[in-house]
Amino acid sequence: MKPQPIEYANAPDEVRAVFDDIKATRNVPDVNNFWKYLANDPATLRRTWSSLKEVMAPGALDPVVKEMVYLAVSVSNGCNYCIASHHAGAEKAGMTPAMFAELMAVVGMANETNRLVNGYRVPVDLAFDK
């Protein structure tokens, strides 16, 4: 059976508590579909939200950098949902079209050269192996 989203009105109290924290933290009227589907497993919902909130919190990296890194990994992993979500997050944090274009050039180049290195089985240079 295909999982269905858990809407706030039908959510158990433990799920509502996480949804309330997401809405308050992000200052949004409702949670997005990712969280509604994770709510099928309240423990996974709680753990994932807690980890994401901690990792994406202000730190040594600017919020736009964190969102752009998340976007780059999502592109490499082919996760359309995460690409859309974190592209929007990166734009909200200040990513410009020029920044996005440059990011995609880096992602494309890194994927190409990573595959070449793996295919040729290139050993790591001693100068880099620290």
Side-chain angles (χ1 to χ4, degrees):
M1 183 171 161
K2 181 181 173 188
Q4 297 298 308
I6 306 297
E7 298 295 337
Y8 188 88
N10 303 322
D13 289 343
E14 63 183 317
V15 168
R16 282 186 182 197
V18 176
F19 281 5
D20 287 339
D21 189 33
I22 293 168
K23 292 190 300 185
T25 301
R26 293 187 163 173
N27 193 27
V28 293
D30 194 13
V31 298
N32 61 34
N33 285 336
F34 176 71
W35 304 112
K36 291 177 182 179
Y37 277 82
L38 284 188
N40 284 284
D41 181 355
T44 297
L45 171 70
R46 184 179 58 254
R47 183 183 67 252
T48 304
W49 169 244
S50 178
S51 293
L52 186 90
K53 187 167 68 167
E54 181 180 331
V55 168
M56 297 304 282
L61 296 175
D62 292 331
V64 68
V65 172
K66 287 186 176 190
E67 287 291 347
M68 289 175 69
V69 169
Y70 214 118
L71 175 57
V73 171
S74 299
V75 167
S76 290
N77 286 335
C79 179
N80 289 332
Y81 186 92
C82 295
I83 291 167
S85 174
H86 290 282
H87 189 277
E91 284 182 328
K92 184 177 178 183
M95 181 181 73
T96 66
M99 291 166 75
F100 174 72
E102 194 168 324
L103 177 66
M104 290 302 97
V106 172
V107 168
M109 182 53 52
N111 276 293
E112 178 183 350
T113 59
N114 286 182
R115 286 183 176 93
L116 290 169
V117 164
N118 286 338
Y120 280 104
R121 301 172 73 184
V122 178
V124 176
D125 295 85
L126 291 177
F128 302 146
D129 197 14
K130 295 181 182 183

